[in-house]
Amino acid sequence: MKQITIFLLALLGLSLISLTDAKVLKGRKNLKIHKEIEMTPKSETLIDSSLIQTESAQSYTTTSSKSFGDSIKESFISCLIGVLLIVFMIPVLWFNERRNVEQKKIIQKVEKICAQASPDIVDETLEGQLVHCTGTIENPEPLTDDQFGINALNSAKFRRTIEVYQIQERKETKEKKDQFGGGSTTETTYHYRPVWSQERIDSQNFYIQQHRNDNLNCKFITNNQTFIAENILLGKRTLAKTQIEKLENWSSEFKIPESTLANLPPAACAAIKELDWHPTTYIEDNMIYIVQQKGVLTVGDIRIVYTYVPCDHVAIIASQTGTTFTPYDIKKRIKEDENGCL
């Protein structure tokens, strides 16, 4: 009787193993089938700038399976990466703490030696010293985009950005553990939707090749460009070029005059005529739209966006050099003080 019981248990174990192996093999087989066949598109309507888009978003789902051995391999690699991160974490923490100490020394030294300077009075006794100066900057000259004939008044920077309506791919992956066999099933969904992009979206490796942008009329008729003021005034002082370049309070509250399209320079007209389709142009706030059909957005449409950095209140901590400002080497000053040179 005991031998019969052992025989039945062994037979039951072999049956379970066979079922598990069959499930794994079935999952591997589904990998090829789903990748080639099981793609379910989903559509949704998008709205942008109060215009209904003609290109709808679509999604495609594929399913693949992973064996127990593959899961063990990935877990081993993850553990190895974790050990390496722990090893490298110690020197990183040491450098970070050292940097915090240096930053604290710099702040204490600046508070001790920095002098207050007026924007309207240039005090010669502060020449070469670290000063703190605040006030409202001004630019007497307008910044101009000559290609499209658009000006920005009293601005420190003026930027032209071109965007093209293109298809974008987004990959979403979900992994689910199998009940038997120790493997897992991975469900991958590829989302495709039209977006405004400043760069050409590389669609060579799109999973669904019919959505590739190079199959459509996607063309950049100009380049992005930033115009920087050369003479920014702060009272009776002027800002250095490096200081102007660091101003980054960009604003989109810019209004393009409606008369701009009727007076486009020849360079802009020539660029628009190079398109493979008959364009329709119109203005919306700080943007010039060049579209295939007004009222709808189609892949390949173009818009040119203008933003600017307004002349506003600023605070500067730098070395006073005549009527302008230059960088102050605070680390060198700290080192000299520690060595007893001053």
Side-chain angles (χ1 to χ4, degrees):
M1 187 67 181
K2 184 177 181 180
Q3 293 178 348
I4 296 175
T5 304
I6 294 174
F7 174 76
L8 292 175
L9 290 174
L11 183 63
L12 179 61
L14 289 174
S15 300
L16 290 175
I17 292 174
S18 299
L19 288 173
T20 301
D21 292 341
K23 184 176 182 62
V24 172
L25 290 174
K26 183 180 179 181
R28 291 177 179 175
K29 184 177 180 181
N30 286 340
L31 172 62
K32 297 180 180 179
I33 295 176
H34 286 113
K35 281 190 175 180
E36 296 178 359
I37 299 177
E38 188 181 329
M39 295 183 293
T40 306
K42 303 175 183 178
S43 298
E44 61 178 328
T45 302
L46 300 176
I47 297 179
D48 183 28
S49 299
S50 301
L51 299 175
I52 299 178
Q53 302 173 3
T54 58
E55 300 289 339
S56 61
Q58 292 184 328
S59 300
Y60 301 84
T61 301
T62 64
T63 304
S64 61
S65 298
K66 184 167 54 178
S67 67
F68 177 72
D70 292 335
S71 299
I72 292 295
K73 183 179 179 181
E74 290 184 1
S75 299
F76 176 77
I77 294 175
S78 299
C79 291
L80 183 61
I81 293 174
V83 172
L84 293 176
L85 289 176
I86 293 174
V87 172
F88 285 103
M89 178 181 65
I90 298 174
V92 170
L93 289 174
W94 184 81
F95 280 112
N96 186 57
E97 291 300 323
R98 181 180 178 183
R99 187 184 61 177
N100 290 338
V101 172
E102 292 178 352
Q103 291 293 327
K104 186 176 180 179
K105 287 183 179 179
I106 290 174
I107 294 173
Q108 292 175 346
K109 179 59 68 174
V110 169
E111 291 176 346
K112 183 178 180 180
I113 67 174
C114 188
Q116 187 68 35
S118 171
D120 300 316
I121 301 174
V122 179
D123 189 351
E124 295 182 357
T125 61
L126 298 176
E127 183 71 14
Q129 296 187 29
L130 184 66
V131 298
H132 174 238
C133 186
T134 62
T136 301
I137 57 176
E138 297 179 1
N139 181 15
E141 299 293 334
L143 297 178
T144 304
D145 178 10
D146 293 328
Q147 184 174 6
F148 288 88
I150 299 177
N151 301 324
L153 302 176
N154 199 28
S155 304
K157 290 182 182 179
F158 189 41
R159 182 170 60 191
R160 177 188 70 215
T161 303
I162 181 171
E163 299 177 348
V164 176
Y165 206 53
Q166 303 174 71
I167 300 296
Q168 182 186 63
E169 179 187 71
R170 182 173 60 88
K171 182 178 178 181
E172 183 181 0
T173 303
K174 296 180 180 179
E175 185 175 354
K176 182 181 179 182
K177 297 294 183 181
D178 294 341
Q179 293 181 354
F180 301 101
S184 63
T185 300
T186 301
E187 183 179 275
T188 304
T189 303
Y190 297 88
H191 302 277
Y192 297 90
R193 57 175 299 180
V195 296
W196 287 107
S197 176
Q198 298 180 20
E199 300 178 352
R200 185 177 299 277
I201 296 177
D202 185 8
S203 58
Q204 294 292 327
N205 298 319
F206 274 12
Y207 188 79
I208 306 299
Q209 290 293 299
Q210 72 186 54
H211 292 302
R212 285 174 53 173
N213 291 306
D214 50 7
N215 297 332
L216 306 167
N217 297 320
C218 297
K219 188 174 183 179
F220 289 78
I221 62 173
T222 187
N223 59 335
N224 298 339
Q225 189 170 356
T226 301
F227 309 92
I228 302 176
E230 297 181 355
N231 186 28
I232 294 292
L233 303 177
L234 177 59
K236 292 185 178 181
R237 304 172 183 268
T238 58
L239 268 63
K241 183 179 179 180
T242 55
Q243 293 165 341
I244 300 174
E245 292 175 348
K246 291 179 180 179
L247 298 174
E248 294 293 338
N249 55 323
W250 291 97
S251 173
S252 59
E253 296 181 1
F254 181 79
K255 197 78 172 179
I256 300 176
E258 293 293 335
S259 59
T260 299
L261 296 179
N263 301 288
L264 282 177
C269 295
I272 294 175
K273 288 180 180 179
E274 291 180 359
L275 294 171
D276 299 330
W277 36 271
H278 183 70
T280 300
T281 58
Y282 63 94
I283 292 174
E284 184 177 300
D285 297 327
N286 63 321
M287 295 174 283
I288 298 177
Y289 282 86
I290 306 171
V291 299
Q292 300 167 57
Q293 183 180 356
K294 187 174 182 179
V296 295
L297 291 177
T298 308
V299 171
D301 287 350
I302 300 168
R303 71 179 181 186
I304 301 171
V305 185
Y306 285 93
T307 53
Y308 75 111
V309 176
C311 287
D312 207 342
H313 191 82
V314 298
I316 297 176
I317 299 179
S319 175
Q320 177 178 301
T321 306
T323 59
T324 188
F325 304 95
T326 56
Y328 188 89
D329 194 345
I330 188 66
K331 291 184 179 180
K332 180 180 178 181
R333 175 64 183 272
I334 293 175
K335 188 175 181 180
E336 290 175 348
D337 289 354
E338 290 178 349
N339 293 334
C341 295
L342 293 178

